[in-house]
Amino acid sequence: MTATADPDLTAPAFTGPGLPAPPAHAPRSVLATVHQAFLARAIYTVVELGVVDELAHGPRSCAELARVLDVAAEPLHQVVRGTASAGLLRSLGGTGSDEVFALSDTGEMLLPGHPSATRDLVLMMQGPTVLGCLDALPDRVRSGRTGPEVAHGRTWFENLRADAGLAASFDRMMVAIHGGEYSAVAAAYDLRSARTVVDVGGGTGGLTVALLEANAHLHGVVHDLPDVAARAERTLGRAGLAHRAEVSGGSFFESVPRGADAYLLSYVLHDWTDDDCVRILRTVAAAMTAGARLLVVENVLPTGDEPHPGRTLDLLMATLTHGRERTEEEYRRLLARAGLRLRRVVPTASPVSVLEAVPGSDPEHGA
């Protein structure tokens, strides 16, 4: 394919006296990022078509896989070969569609029921619900409406409440994304002086389980909407912690259990606007005694352009919700508006930090 430049439509010149010649290719960082979109789709394809499930029974050639799965062998080979480059499959030799592949140890994490929930992450993030929202990102920015509102006519959380299957997939995806952070938080933050911790908006209770396992003296309460709290009750039971924990159904915009030593807000505030965050924080602050503390578990964005996993997560939040990731100063200001003072930020061996806040005004920002 060739193109002829229209002299009226040519781009402005980037060269001139004293100016260096610009590169004749796109930046490698842009190329790599754009190409990653194809690799992500290839991983989704080998899961969605059943390639991973077939390879769980042993190595297969792409020709064999194509016959069993009733798909075209040549593009299948290209997709499988590309997925192997990500370390999920291993080539055992062969040419073209006769090339034989096996699951790698990493690829086995894509199998149904694997505790990492990697399969659920792939199917959710590359599935039609999220991809439709991602497709709508330009309109989301133009209009201010979230991706789910543009693509599906309702908010992300309304989608979850309306579709039990989607909600279950979302719960499992949260394990894949945040499961490794639970133990990091439990190891980094000292709860020896606390007796009761309330996990506000605690979802299915994964963080509460990690904290109770790391602190044998601790009693936990998972507070979330009633249907979510019921799922947390099952999680606590499976972990053998039902005798040291309980669930509480309700909205954190209205009330939370009173009188605990510590309150958790883990990956809650990043879902909401500043004003909504202040409403949530004021609800929690109203339940806290003078000696209680609030632990906000979130990515804390560095200032400037320093790379951080939270920056990618921020793009996800911009696509799906009205929430966002924040810097330490932004969290300090939110807390101050709710009558809470940021006392310290505790880093963990994961991307998240624990922002410890206590009742009282911030001398710099006021209440």
Side-chain angles (χ1 to χ4, degrees), residues 174-188 206-207 210-211 266-267 297-299 308-310 313 348-354:
M174 289 297 98
V175 173
I177 295 176
H178 303 306
E181 296 167 356
Y182 300 153
S183 60
V185 170
L207 180 54
L211 293 176
S266 176
Y267 281 111
V297 178
E298 295 277 5
N299 285 266
H308 189 281
L313 185 58
T348 75
S350 75
V352 300
S353 297
V354 181

Side-chain angles (χ1 to χ4, degrees), residues 43 46-48 50-58 88-89 102-123 172:
I43 294 171
V46 299
V47 174
E48 200 274 337
V51 173
V52 170
D53 302 54
E54 281 300 316
L55 292 179
H57 303 302
L88 300 173
L89 308 176
L103 281 178
S104 68
D105 290 343
T106 305
E108 289 180 357
M109 297 172 75
L110 292 169
L111 291 171
H114 192 279
S116 71
T118 305
R119 182 188 187 98
D120 302 284
L121 170 69
V122 170
L123 292 176
R172 293 191 295 269

Side-chain angles (χ1 to χ4, degrees), residues 116-182:
S116 71
T118 305
R119 182 188 187 98
D120 302 284
L121 170 69
V122 170
L123 292 176
M124 172 71 83
M125 295 296 282
Q126 282 288 312
T129 302
V130 173
L131 276 192
C133 299
L134 192 58
D135 234 11
L137 185 56
D139 284 335
R140 190 268 186 266
V141 175
R142 289 188 192 100
S143 69
R145 298 166 64 222
T146 64
E149 289 171 302
V150 173
H152 307 299
R154 50 192 178 190
T155 69
W156 177 252
F157 295 109
E158 287 171 344
N159 273 336
L160 295 182
R161 287 194 290 271
D163 186 334
L166 183 65
S169 295
F170 177 77
D171 287 346
R172 293 191 295 269
M173 184 183 76
M174 289 297 98
V175 173
I177 295 176
H178 303 306
E181 296 167 356
Y182 300 153

